[in-house]
Amino acid sequence: MQRAIEKAGVPTICVTALPPVSRQNGTPRAAAPLVPMGANAGAPHDVAMQRGITIDALKLIETIETPGKIVPLPYEYHAQI
Amino acid sequence: MSLTVVKGLQSEIFVPVTPPSVFTKPTKPMKEWVVGLATAAGVHRKDQERFNLAGDFTWRKIPSDTPTDMLMVSHGGYDNSDVNKDINCMFPIERIHELVAEGIIAGEAPFHAGFMGGGGNIEKFTNETGPAIAEMFKEEGVDAVLVTAG
């Protein structure tokens, strides 16, 4: 999906909980906070974390120069299961 | 003759092939962007058709002015409990509204995209769903897309 959008000429960032999967699927660029699948953009109702992840991910569209690069983001959330 | 080459030898380990890279650079600074959201988390409006949890390559156009209590998830491939509490966990639409209001980005796409990732008919996703979503963002004049997937 990300690749299709990128191919159409629109830059993208993937916020991923599973960076190895994103790498394997050929992500153009990705941001990887330490989150479980299902809370990629941050913990529920944690506005500060969601905001941080959203802004930092968008900034990576400007700063990543190499196709396929995945940058860890300094946010951590462990779901209580 | 080469001692290191055996005809027809195959790896016992599954080695998937990473597709060739695609890469588009932004043409203007972030504060001038109109941003779109695309999520593989199975997000859609409550009045739209649910995804078939057994596999579904269709997608939903989500108007960006949809209130979050009108949004829901149908996806059988991950723990939905966080996203059921707060849709912004996978679809940070309220955070995008805030970034627009604060001038950190210029605007947001009139429509975002929701689909159900995690497998299904990959050929359909690659050849039909992906290009259709990409075309919508192109028509909307979107400068950058934030994708949540994987």
Side-chain angles (χ1 to χ4, degrees):
Chain A
M1 186 59 50
Q2 188 191 5
R3 291 173 55 84
I5 300 167
E6 196 94 10
K7 204 180 263 179
V10 180
T12 59
I13 183 80
C14 182
V15 181
T16 178
L18 306 171
V21 175
S22 301
R23 183 180 302 282
Q24 191 59 63
N25 289 337
T27 180
R29 42 177 116 52
L34 282 172
V35 292
M37 191 168 57
N40 296 29
H45 306 299
D46 188 337
V47 173
M49 185 190 288
Q50 293 171 0
R51 179 189 166 87
I53 290 174
T54 305
I55 294 177
D56 288 358
L58 287 172
K59 279 184 184 163
L60 286 175
I61 295 178
E62 285 192 310
T63 54
I64 290 178
E65 300 275 346
T66 318
K69 186 152 184 173
I70 301 173
V71 177
L73 291 185
Y75 302 92
E76 194 167 347
Y77 161 55
H78 297 279
Q80 303 296 320
I81 298 170
Chain B
M1 181 191 143
S2 166
L3 294 176
T4 57
V5 173
V6 178
K7 262 191 174 174
L9 182 72
Q10 289 191 325
S11 171
E12 292 177 3
I13 303 165
F14 175 60
V15 186
V17 178
T18 302
S21 63
V22 283
F23 201 65
T24 302
K25 288 195 161 196
T27 52
K28 40 187 164 176
M30 181 168 151
K31 64 176 191 310
E32 294 175 21
W33 291 349
V34 170
V35 173
L37 288 176
T39 180
V43 176
H44 56 85
R45 281 178 59 98
K46 285 180 180 171
D47 56 10
Q48 287 173 323
E49 193 186 340
R50 296 181 184 206
F51 291 107
N52 178 351
L53 302 192
D56 196 334
F57 59 83
T58 63
W59 62 289
R60 307 286 178 268
K61 262 176 102 159
I62 305 169
S64 56
D65 58 1
T66 307
T68 49
D69 62 2
M70 270 298 293
L71 291 169
M72 65 173 282
V73 158
S74 54
H75 193 306
Y78 68 98
D79 185 340
N80 301 162
S81 47
D82 281 339
V83 79
N84 286 341
K85 288 178 209 153
D86 180 5
I87 200 83
N88 293 288
C89 285
M90 286 307 281
F91 192 65
I93 187 167
E94 289 181 305
R95 304 293 84 81
I96 294 289
H97 296 335
E98 290 159 12
L99 299 191
V100 175
E102 293 168 34
I104 295 173
I105 53 176
E108 86 179 280
F111 291 94
H112 300 300
F115 60 100
M116 195 182 89
N121 190 334
I122 298 299
E123 203 183 322
K124 286 273 191 188
F125 271 116
T126 307
N127 299 325
E128 294 177 22
T129 315
I133 291 175
E135 193 184 324
M136 177 189 77
F137 285 130
K138 282 293 272 188
E139 281 172 8
E140 291 182 321
V142 164
D143 300 295
V145 175
L146 188 128
V147 181
T148 56

